[in-house]
Amino acid sequence: MVFKMNKVKKEALELLDVIEKRSEVINDPDIQKELGLLICHIYTISKKRDEFLLKSAKIAYSSIIKEPCELNVIKQINENLAHRKKPPYDRMTPSTKVILGLCICFYFAFSLLIVGGTGFKVPDTFFGINSSLVLLAAGSGAIGSIVSIMSRVGEFVDLAHRDHMVYLFIGLFKPLIGMAFAVFVFCVVKAGIIPIDLGEQPREELIIAALAFLSGFSERFAKDFTQKTEKVLNVSAT
């Protein structure tokens, strides 16, 4: 059986041969650096068998050997080739990564609701508290977090994180954090640690929903509420 080399790989090897013959006469450090990057990209191009990218690599090499050398052209091409080498997730903008994390959170939440709705019955009370109020607080906290993410989605571009997974985790875990803070605030208010007049129904449900939403929406509110609770409990303990 005769192995037939694909066209892109063959042309990539030919380009590398040409570069090898001409590389000795290139002495400029900046050009050598860009040429080294180009060689790495050519290897990736041969694996992907992408004729368009191979053509870009040829243009980049032509820019190097021109007199005068068009260094800006090869830099731009190298940046484009480097971007295309990245996996799909790394090519996403920070805002898109956050939304992806939020979508994954939705997926798991709806899956749990579907599975739980078929075989799990929510008890009427949790520790003597109406379960519908607990669920109202948790749901309002999650909604508050989601609204917070959506209203600030353009701001994530300005965040500088070397770990690109941070953006995914923001979208994935912020609704859960919002739910946790909302339930915490609900417990504190219901226990009377921080006295808030909830009144009778439906005023009670509306106040709980508002506090829970604010807990999920505003990190500052949740932090201040937690610190105030801590101070009250410390005073009580002493």
Side-chain angles (χ1 to χ4, degrees):
M1 181 178 179
V2 179
F3 176 75
K4 185 178 179 180
M5 186 181 298
N6 70 80
K7 179 183 176 183
V8 174
K9 186 174 182 179
K10 181 180 178 182
E11 292 185 16
L13 288 172
E14 290 174 353
L15 180 58
L16 288 175
D17 288 337
V18 174
I19 293 174
E20 184 181 12
K21 293 176 183 178
R22 297 291 300 271
S23 60
E24 296 179 359
V25 299
I26 298 175
N27 299 316
D28 187 290
D30 292 333
I31 299 177
Q32 288 176 347
K33 178 183 176 181
E34 296 300 329
L35 187 60
L37 292 174
L38 181 62
I39 292 171
C40 295
H41 295 324
I42 291 172
Y43 170 74
T44 305
I45 291 169
S46 67
K47 291 181 66 176
K48 288 188 174 184
R49 303 183 182 184
D50 193 315
E51 293 186 17
F52 175 79
L53 297 182
L54 180 61
K55 185 67 175 178
S56 298
K58 290 179 178 179
I59 294 172
Y61 178 68
S62 299
S63 301
I64 290 176
I65 61 176
K66 278 185 178 180
E67 292 292 341
C69 173
E70 297 177 346
L71 188 59
N72 288 332
V73 175
I74 184 176
K75 281 184 177 180
Q76 200 68 32
I77 293 175
N78 271 334
E79 288 177 6
N80 179 58
L81 293 174
H83 179 72
R84 289 177 176 272
K85 280 175 63 177
K86 294 178 181 178
Y89 175 79
D90 287 344
R91 278 184 267 167
M92 294 180 182
T93 63
S95 300
T96 306
K97 292 174 183 176
V98 173
I99 298 300
L100 176 63
L102 192 59
C103 291
I104 295 174
C105 183
F106 279 151
Y107 174 79
F108 283 109
F110 284 126
S111 299
L112 288 174
L113 285 174
I114 293 173
V115 174
T118 56
F120 179 74
K121 184 179 179 181
V122 178
D124 294 332
T125 60
F126 286 115
F127 302 103
I129 303 295
N130 190 334
S131 59
S132 61
L133 293 179
V134 180
L135 294 175
L136 174 64
S140 298
I143 293 172
S145 295
I146 293 168
V147 173
S148 175
I149 291 174
M150 299 303 293
S151 62
R152 295 172 50 232
V153 69
E155 299 176 11
F156 293 112
V157 179
D158 299 326
L159 298 178
H161 291 288
R162 291 186 177 180
D163 186 357
H164 296 284
M165 295 302 293
V166 168
Y167 303 106
L168 180 71
F169 291 148
I170 289 174
L172 183 60
F173 292 126
K174 199 171 190 303
L176 301 178
I177 295 171
M179 289 176 62
F181 272 124
V183 173
F184 169 75
V185 170
F186 170 78
C187 292
V188 170
V189 173
K190 267 298 196 180
I193 298 173
I194 295 180
I196 295 178
D197 182 18
L198 297 178
E200 301 295 331
Q201 296 179 348
R203 185 172 183 267
E204 181 183 20
E205 287 87 344
L206 294 175
I207 293 177
I208 289 172
L211 288 173
F213 180 91
L214 193 57
S215 301
F217 182 84
S218 173
E219 296 176 3
R220 182 176 179 179
F221 172 81
K223 183 178 179 181
D224 290 345
F225 198 93
T226 303
Q227 290 176 345
K228 187 173 182 180
T229 304
E230 184 180 6
K231 289 179 181 178
V232 172
L233 292 176
N234 284 338
V235 171
S236 300
T238 55

